[in-house]
Amino acid sequence: MPRPIQATIHPAALRANLERARRAAPDARLWAVVKANAYGHGIERVWSAVRAADGIALLDLDEAERVRALGWRGPLLLLEGVFEPRDLELCSRLSLWHTVHCDAQIDWLSAHKTHAPHRVFLKMNSGMNRLGFAPGRFRAAFARLSALPQVDEISLMTHFSDADGPRGISHQLAAFQGATEDLPGERSICNSAALLRHGLQAEVRLDWVRAGIALYGGAPDHPERTAGDWGLQPAMTLASRLIGVQQLGEGDTVGYGSRFAAPAPMRIGVVACGYADGYPRHAPTGTPVLVDGVRTRVVGRVSMDMLAVDLAPVPGAAIGSEVTLWGRGPGGAVLPIDEVAEAAGTIGYELMCALAPRVPVVTDEA
Ligand SMILES: *Cc1c(COP(=O)(O)O)cnc(C)c1O
């Protein structure tokens, strides 16, 4: 028997989440963001669901080739644009739309030979200070691109730093609006957080919204709002089983560094899941976990291949009992990935993306 750990991808949940994202911006077109191998879910595994989007957005050119190989003929956008001049040949060959965020990318385009002119998304740095032209330089970039025979349609985009938090989007929205007011072209500014929290305003949702985490069932603004609050369902389950049980006496310790000491006699279960599977090593004692669908907690340090759980709430648990690290448990129980991430000091995005290659993945076609 293989080691009992397994991840399950739920395409039906992805389909429902995509519909949920559409309801947040009913008249906008929706990019399904599938970068990082569909946030760790596997582009091919989620394909039956994400193909219902209006466009596919990602970063890696090899992932773009995979999406075309799946038969996608619709819009396919490189969110960071090209990384070197010869990437433009692939853009021509695969009809990729690409972001333009710096002058070097415009230089490369002006030297590029192509039969079919490219559709580009000109990116503004409206305050995040990652990629894009500052508002004061945006028009000049637009003018340069407009003059190129290699370019046909120019769309306008920016990205928010605080759509999920108290600072909000208004300062960046004002910068974007101010510098683009009389420019033609379609516009795209929303990620999942902006879409869910602000998308009902027409001046925010605009022509295209870019949904990532929401499609995978994560709340972009956990813990202020949970995935359940947003009507999102988990698209990934990580499950394993108990492979050991220990009876502890008062003062007995668990795992490396003896980080947990039993305050009284207790039973613990040992789970075949560790940080080499993608479970966060920093998950402390108290991190939620389900055993046979019953909520309990991690105790002691997570090791490479194992972690320990408190069996007090599940006296019937024994070797072979099902353990849900995140996602859907037996009997309709759900453990949101965001809760595990929060306990470990990170976000659901990171846990999804970090699912380790050694974990076998199956698709739940139900
Ligand atoms: C990743 C990404 C998104 C999606 O963000 P989520 O928070 O996952 O919705 C949108 N736009 C850009 C430019 C991105 O890189």
Side-chain angles (χ1 to χ4, degrees):
M1 183 180 154
R3 192 164 163 264
I5 192 164
Q6 179 170 285
T8 306
I9 305 304
H10 310 291
L14 267 145
R15 274 191 282 280
N17 295 338
L18 195 144
E19 284 315 309
R20 173 66 187 86
R22 279 204 190 280
R23 284 200 301 281
D27 51 1
R29 275 162 294 158
L30 182 99
W31 292 109
V33 180
V34 303
K35 63 190 178 189
N37 200 23
Y39 291 46
H41 293 65
I43 291 174
E44 289 77 10
R45 289 190 187 281
V46 301
W47 187 246
S48 66
V50 298
R51 61 187 300 177
D54 302 297
I56 304 291
L58 41 62
L59 318 170
D60 277 305
L61 285 92
D62 60 341
E63 289 186 345
E65 296 212 73
R66 278 161 60 194
V67 168
R68 286 289 184 233
L70 285 162
W72 179 254
R73 289 164 190 276
L76 183 48
L77 174 65
L78 296 178
L79 289 167
E80 293 179 345
V82 296
F83 304 101
E84 58 174 334
R86 68 190 176 118
D87 294 344
L88 290 166
E89 289 157 28
L90 195 76
C91 291
S92 294
R93 182 156 63 77
L94 298 181
S95 320
L96 305 183
W97 299 3
H98 48 103
T99 299
V100 171
H101 63 73
C102 63
D103 281 308
Q105 289 176 327
I106 304 182
D107 297 340
W108 301 339
L109 258 172
S110 68
H112 175 58
K113 294 187 177 49
T114 181
H115 298 296
H118 291 198
R119 166 119 179 219
V120 299
F121 276 64
L122 182 60
K123 184 161 187 173
M124 182 186 297
N125 169 17
S126 57
M128 176 120 176
N129 288 309
R130 223 169 42 172
L131 297 181
F133 293 91
R137 298 194 48 238
F138 197 72
R139 271 162 192 286
F142 187 95
R144 265 195 88 192
L145 278 177
S146 310
L148 295 183
Q150 291 89 343
V151 171
D152 64 0
E153 213 173 320
I154 305 172
S155 305
L156 316 179
M157 72 187 285
T158 194
H159 193 66
F160 295 126
S161 58
D162 290 78
D164 58 332
R167 191 174 181 203
I169 63 171
S170 50
H171 61 297
Q172 287 185 263
L173 184 62
F176 181 78
Q177 287 170 336
T180 58
E181 216 165 23
D182 49 356
L183 292 180
E186 293 188 337
R187 281 138 164 90
S188 175
I189 63 177
C190 282
N191 57 1
S192 296
L195 168 65
L196 292 173
R197 293 168 68 100
H198 308 284
L200 289 174
Q201 298 166 249
E203 71 274 21
V204 175
R205 62 180 184 269
L206 299 170
D207 301 294
W208 290 89
V209 295
R210 309 187 299 266
I213 194 69
L215 302 183
Y216 305 100
D221 53 356
H222 182 91
E224 185 183 333
R225 293 206 186 83
T226 66
D229 293 340
W230 287 123
L232 299 169
Q233 305 171 21
M236 178 194 286
T237 294
L238 180 62
S240 186
R241 293 189 183 277
L242 293 187
I243 59 169
V245 172
Q246 300 292 344
Q247 180 67 47
L248 305 184
E250 184 186 332
D252 287 349
T253 63
V254 178
Y256 288 117
S258 302
R259 293 291 274 267
F260 176 80
M266 65 185 285
R267 263 174 101 230
I268 60 162
V270 177
V271 184
C273 177
Y275 61 79
D277 300 300
Y279 194 86
R281 182 174 174 277
H282 292 105
T285 291
T287 300
V289 59
L290 308 179
V291 176
D292 287 335
V294 177
R295 199 175 164 108
T296 179
R297 58 179 180 144
V298 169
V299 291
R301 236 185 217 157
V302 173
S303 50
M304 183 186 285
D305 311 304
M306 285 175 269
L307 57 82
V309 296
D310 183 356
L311 294 183
V314 240
I319 287 184
S321 285
E322 186 169 343
V323 179
T324 308
L325 287 316
W326 59 70
R328 292 194 202 173
V334 169
L335 177 56
I337 194 168
D338 299 321
E339 285 189 38
V340 179
E342 185 190 3
T346 184
I347 52 176
Y349 294 72
E350 187 181 12
L351 299 191
M352 295 173 184
C353 293
L355 182 73
R358 82 170 183 186
V359 176
V361 186
V362 299
T363 306
D364 156 23
E365 291 299 350

